[in-house]
Amino acid sequence: MKNVLTIAMPKGRIFEEAAELLRKAGYRLPPELDESRKLIIDVPEEELRFILAKPMDVATYVEHGVADVGIAGKDVLLEEERDVYELLDLKISTCYLAVAGMPDTKMNDVAPRVATKYPNVAEAYFREQGEQVEIIKLNGSIELAPLIGLSDRIVDIVSTGRTLKENGLVEYERIEDVTSRLIVNPVSYRLKDSLIDDLVARLHQVVSTEEF
Ligand code: PRP
């Protein structure tokens, strides 16, 4: 498969923007990519193979070399510190990591608890603030935690802010801006450098001329 580039694509909300970006970069991608439930889709005319993965897993596939490149959120890259190179900020799926909680509440002095899908990011953030917290790892619907008394604060992604608002929560601190990045496996980058350089150049052209 030396002449085929395997791309790990995130399923879900990032997918649409990522596919649009690739199409704008001139790749003719079949509608099957958007519509099918297949998890591996070959596009031989573009010498591409797509693997459709959960956003949290994209960097894992790339680190292990079963995908040459991938599109991964900076949130996941910060959390997992995978052995991959980050080649390009794709400037899509813009959001940010923030600390949030119930309005007008102080963190519990004795054993403050923070619920999150990002335990490493949260731990590092509160350590830098000089606060010792207990991290509670959840896998989704993080906003539930302060509502039902599981935690004092959450660390989570804010995109439109709707989830916080509709659940009566407020943002306390903004931790880091997040966009999707093009990542590459270091060995693939050596073996398939011209294919990858071409992909990067084409995407860079689109990203640098888009209005954001
Ligand atoms: C993410 C995030 C927030 C929400 C923020 O959850 O964890 O819950 O989106 O978006 P908003 O600011 O536009 O409301 P996601 O929908 O990915 O699902 P999850 O709860 O399973 O993490």
Side-chain angles (χ1 to χ4, degrees):
M1 297 266 287
K2 182 139 177 28
N3 291 318
V4 171
L5 207 57
T6 301
I7 304 183
M9 284 281 271
K11 286 201 290 189
R13 61 166 89 187
I14 309 176
F15 175 86
E16 226 169 276
E17 284 182 86
E20 190 188 342
L21 197 60
L22 286 164
R23 289 190 170 107
K24 281 186 181 163
Y27 292 97
R28 285 156 299 142
L29 306 181
E32 185 191 14
L33 190 65
D34 313 61
E35 292 154 12
S36 161
R37 296 249 173 155
K38 279 172 74 173
L39 299 172
I40 301 174
I41 294 184
D42 286 313
V43 186
E45 54 280 20
E46 294 286 4
E47 296 174 320
L48 296 177
R49 160 173 280 193
F50 288 94
I51 293 176
L52 294 165
K54 283 274 180 202
M56 276 281 193
D57 294 334
V58 164
T60 308
Y61 290 105
V62 175
E63 181 180 53
H64 288 275
V66 291
D68 300 309
V69 301
I71 293 176
K74 185 68 184 175
D75 52 338
V76 179
L77 299 174
L78 286 169
E79 176 62 25
E80 300 196 336
E81 295 186 352
R82 296 276 174 188
D83 188 11
V84 297
Y85 298 152
E86 201 183 299
L87 294 184
L88 189 62
D89 182 350
L90 299 172
K91 299 186 181 165
I92 55 171
S93 308
T94 305
C95 53
Y96 57 95
L97 281 159
V99 180
M102 300 286 271
D104 306 318
T105 54
K106 282 203 160 41
M107 292 230 284
N108 190 329
D109 285 344
V110 187
R113 289 182 299 189
V114 176
T116 186
K117 223 169 15 181
Y118 304 94
N120 294 325
V121 170
E123 174 91 48
Y125 176 77
F126 283 101
R127 199 183 324 115
E128 266 171 37
Q129 306 296 310
E131 298 200 54
Q132 219 183 351
V133 299
E134 181 191 344
I135 303 288
I136 299 176
K137 166 83 165 66
L138 294 175
N139 293 306
S141 302
I142 313 300
E143 291 82 357
L144 261 177
L147 296 176
I148 54 172
L150 178 63
S151 73
D152 301 279
R153 293 285 187 267
I154 59 170
V155 166
D156 199 17
I157 287 291
V158 179
S159 175
T160 61
R162 228 183 115 184
T163 311
L164 289 182
K165 192 157 180 250
E166 290 191 12
N167 290 290
L169 301 175
V170 295
E171 190 182 312
Y172 281 97
E173 287 116 32
R174 197 171 171 131
I175 301 181
E176 184 105 24
D177 288 337
V178 170
T179 49
S180 295
R181 311 296 163 104
L182 183 73
I183 56 170
V184 64
N185 173 279
V187 176
S188 296
Y189 201 25
R190 275 210 311 275
L191 298 178
K192 300 185 180 179
D193 55 338
S194 61
L195 288 178
I196 293 168
D197 285 344
D198 181 50
L199 172 73
V200 172
R202 287 163 74 169
L203 287 172
H204 182 259
Q205 170 75 19
V206 178
V207 171
S208 59
T209 53
E210 291 270 302
E211 293 282 332
F212 291 102

